[in-house]
Amino acid sequence: MALEPDRPEAPAASTPAAPAAGSAGAAGTDRAAGTLYRQVAADLREAITTGAYGEAGRLPAEGALAEQYGVSRGTVRQALAVLRSDGLVTSRRGTRRVVLGTARVQSFSELLSFTHWAYSMGEEPGGILDSLVRRPADAAEREQLRLEPGSEVYVTVRLRTLSGTPVMVERTVYPPRVGEIVAQLPPDVVSHTEVLREHGILFTDADHTIDVVAANAEDARLLGCRRGGPLLRERRRTTDPTGTPVEWSQDRYLPGTVAFSVHNSLATSALSRHAREGD
């Protein structure tokens, strides 16, 4: 989750916790004020994700929130900016913030790990290996993984679940040095990424392409969906710190289980993934 930089501000005059003038804690309060918006954002996020405001409901006005939390309106605006960048709320000029959904958002780096993303939402991640084969790489795989002609690859197909519910089919192509490790793992291991990290295989950079595809026969069998029905596809090539490809993967999600949001700014851009209960 991308947070705005801390911008300390003096507490509002009505803030109950404001220290007396000249007290030794005044400077510390100034420093702590910069973290108040994080606390407000966390509390509002919890309320949103538990459905306190409902789907498409409206948050209280800034003034009401400032009074509720005993902070300034500036602190409330910072907290709301965090929720907006997370894709939890939106607003138009002259209107109160509208709740977009009950989703929790992961930072860009968490897209590399389905397991971390699941745990962050309080879900139990699962991985069921459907197949693992070693075969000659085709032209596209050689290009994506920068392999020489005649090279082999390891290809896995796994059903990923959240608390036992099928969510996504994960198809991953590994170069030999990585695939040899994956081939030794138990079929029900939850996270390949974590195990590979223990073996010194680091996932540090990734290129993502997101589109919609029709479910094939294998997707339908694993996900229990209709063949030809729409699935949200995320294709990903991941590299290690040296820029060497370590996987080429495509994940196919059932509709209504995940959404991707993009936050753009002049300073940075971040892509995040979050669960959705419906469009």
Side-chain angles (χ1 to χ4, degrees), residues 58-154:
R58 295 182 182 275
L59 294 180
E62 287 182 1
L65 289 172
E67 183 176 354
Q68 175 183 341
Y69 289 103
V71 297
S72 72
R73 289 195 179 202
T75 296
V76 170
R77 291 191 193 103
Q78 285 183 279
L80 293 174
V82 171
L83 299 179
R84 187 172 61 250
S85 68
D86 284 354
L88 291 176
V89 300
T90 188
S91 64
R92 293 189 297 273
R93 186 181 298 276
T95 65
R96 286 185 291 160
R97 269 69 175 183
V98 177
V99 176
L100 290 175
T102 58
R104 289 192 178 182
V105 177
Q106 280 300 297
S107 67
F108 175 79
S109 62
E110 291 299 324
L111 276 172
L112 301 179
S113 174
F114 178 91
T115 300
H116 284 178
W117 172 65
Y119 281 138
S120 75
M121 297 186 300
E123 299 276 4
E124 184 68 27
I128 303 171
L129 182 66
D130 186 66
S131 64
L132 187 156
V133 299
R134 177 181 176 179
R135 58 165 173 76
D138 62 28
E141 292 162 349
R142 291 197 302 271
E143 179 182 359
Q144 291 292 334
L145 297 176
R146 300 178 194 166
L147 299 175
E148 296 295 329
S151 297
E152 292 189 322
V153 291
Y154 289 78

Side-chain angles (χ1 to χ4, degrees), residues 130-275:
D130 186 66
S131 64
L132 187 156
V133 299
R134 177 181 176 179
R135 58 165 173 76
D138 62 28
E141 292 162 349
R142 291 197 302 271
E143 179 182 359
Q144 291 292 334
L145 297 176
R146 300 178 194 166
L147 299 175
E148 296 295 329
S151 297
E152 292 189 322
V153 291
Y154 289 78
V155 183
T156 64
V157 177
R158 292 204 296 166
L159 175 65
R160 305 309 306 268
T161 62
L162 291 178
S163 300
T165 301
V167 172
M168 177 260 283
V169 173
E170 174 188 86
R171 295 178 174 87
T172 307
V173 183
Y174 294 106
R177 70 185 182 95
V178 181
E180 289 168 1
I181 299 173
V182 171
Q184 302 303 314
L185 300 179
D188 59 348
V189 67
V190 174
S191 176
H192 287 179
T193 305
E194 290 299 317
V195 176
L196 290 171
R197 183 179 292 117
E198 295 173 0
H199 284 78
I201 307 295
L202 303 180
F203 292 60
T204 58
D205 295 276
D207 296 315
H208 301 263
T209 302
I210 299 169
D211 59 6
V212 176
V213 295
N216 61 27
E218 187 174 58
D219 296 326
R221 174 174 61 84
L222 292 172
L223 293 171
C225 63
R226 177 177 59 86
R227 183 174 181 177
L231 297 177
L232 183 63
R233 178 174 66 173
E234 182 229 343
R235 286 175 288 175
R236 177 179 65 254
R237 186 183 71 166
T238 311
T239 56
D240 66 13
T242 68
T244 302
V246 290
E247 69 164 3
W248 187 36
S249 182
Q250 67 163 283
D251 302 338
R252 297 187 176 196
Y253 292 88
L254 283 170
T257 59
V258 70
F260 293 86
S261 60
V262 180
H263 171 72
N264 291 323
S265 73
L266 292 176
T268 185
S269 295
L271 174 67
S272 58
R273 163 178 59 188
H274 52 98

